[in-house]
Amino acid sequence: MRNTSFNQRPAASGGFTLLELLVVIAIIGILAGLMFPATTGVLRNAKKAHAENDCYNLKNAISAYFTEYRKYPADPNADEEDEMRTDHDLMDILLGADNADGEKYNPRRIAFFTGKQAKPAGDGKFRKGITLDNNGGGELWDPFAELYYVRMDLDYNNRVKVPEWDDSVESTYLPEAIVVWSTGEDTDLDVDNVKTW
């Protein structure tokens, strides 16, 4: 006959103790805290890359327009030093819109620029794309909910004046016909701009 003792410990249940769970939760919290800055940096770089891509695509669209019509999509009496924005004045022409300006500057209604539909950002602003109207015109928004800036060689001397905010360039002029830029995440023209030169 077997001798049974009532003083034996019960078999382990295989579960976690409260202390073990707290340690695991603390480790997960620390790792998440370390990953947050890295994730933020990746998102910031992705927005900057998107803005740079849009800047070059817009520059190429204006170049294609120039190749087609032998002029720039702007009022010929405009001052070369004035910046244009990617609002209806410029984008209706590049999108081939069905309005008076589009017919005046783009009579063949060629769509020189295409892109994705912009996403609402609040306060009447959008981000990352084009807002299209019923007539086919629209505005081009950067990832930071601002319109892009454009400067063109309107006196056809193969150079444009360096924007006033850019102190990284030693000369007064850039040897380019078209320059495009975005103000970047801080939406300040003096810091972290995305540019095509």
Side-chain angles (χ1 to χ4, degrees):
M1 175 168 223
R2 294 175 77 185
N3 188 4
T4 58
S5 171
F6 291 104
N7 292 336
Q8 290 182 349
R9 295 179 68 196
S13 64
F16 295 107
T17 66
L18 181 59
L19 182 62
E20 290 171 331
L21 287 175
L22 289 174
V23 168
V24 169
I25 290 172
I27 291 171
I28 290 172
I30 290 169
L31 291 175
L34 293 174
M35 290 300 295
F36 182 73
T39 305
T40 304
V42 168
L43 291 175
R44 187 179 312 114
N45 289 340
K47 285 182 180 180
K48 189 173 181 179
H50 187 277
E52 189 172 324
N53 189 36
D54 275 353
C55 286
Y56 280 104
N57 286 341
L58 183 59
K59 184 176 180 177
N60 290 337
I62 295 170
S63 293
Y65 177 94
F66 181 83
T67 301
E68 183 69 29
Y69 291 115
R70 304 309 299 162
K71 63 180 182 179
Y72 289 106
D75 182 357
N77 299 320
D79 187 359
E80 180 182 84
E81 294 183 16
D82 291 340
E83 289 104 14
M84 295 182 71
R85 301 296 299 272
T86 53
D87 57 11
H88 286 283
D89 292 340
L90 175 62
M91 294 309 297
D92 285 2
I93 298 167
L94 295 176
L95 293 169
D98 298 332
N99 59 23
D101 283 344
E103 291 171 9
K104 179 179 173 184
Y105 290 103
N106 189 354
R108 296 183 192 120
R109 293 189 183 150
I110 300 169
F112 293 99
F113 189 90
T114 58
K116 292 187 176 184
Q117 180 70 33
K119 298 172 180 77
D123 296 330
K125 293 188 172 192
F126 296 85
R127 67 173 41 123
K128 283 189 175 183
I130 303 169
T131 56
L132 282 177
D133 296 338
N134 290 335
N135 66 355
E139 299 173 319
L140 177 61
W141 295 86
D142 70 8
F144 316 106
E146 293 292 327
L147 298 172
Y148 290 94
Y149 289 85
V150 179
R151 190 174 277 180
M152 294 177 262
D153 175 25
L154 298 179
D155 60 2
Y156 301 94
N157 62 359
N158 295 319
R159 64 183 189 174
V160 276
K161 189 168 183 185
V162 176
E164 294 74 28
W165 53 264
D166 191 359
D167 55 5
S168 67
V169 179
E170 297 293 325
S171 65
T172 308
Y173 292 93
L174 293 165
E176 300 196 34
I178 306 157
V179 292
V180 182
W181 68 92
S182 165
T183 56
E185 189 167 11
D186 65 358
T187 66
D188 181 8
L189 276 174
D190 294 330
V191 186
D192 82 346
N193 297 334
V194 178
K195 56 188 182 179
T196 60
W197 67 93

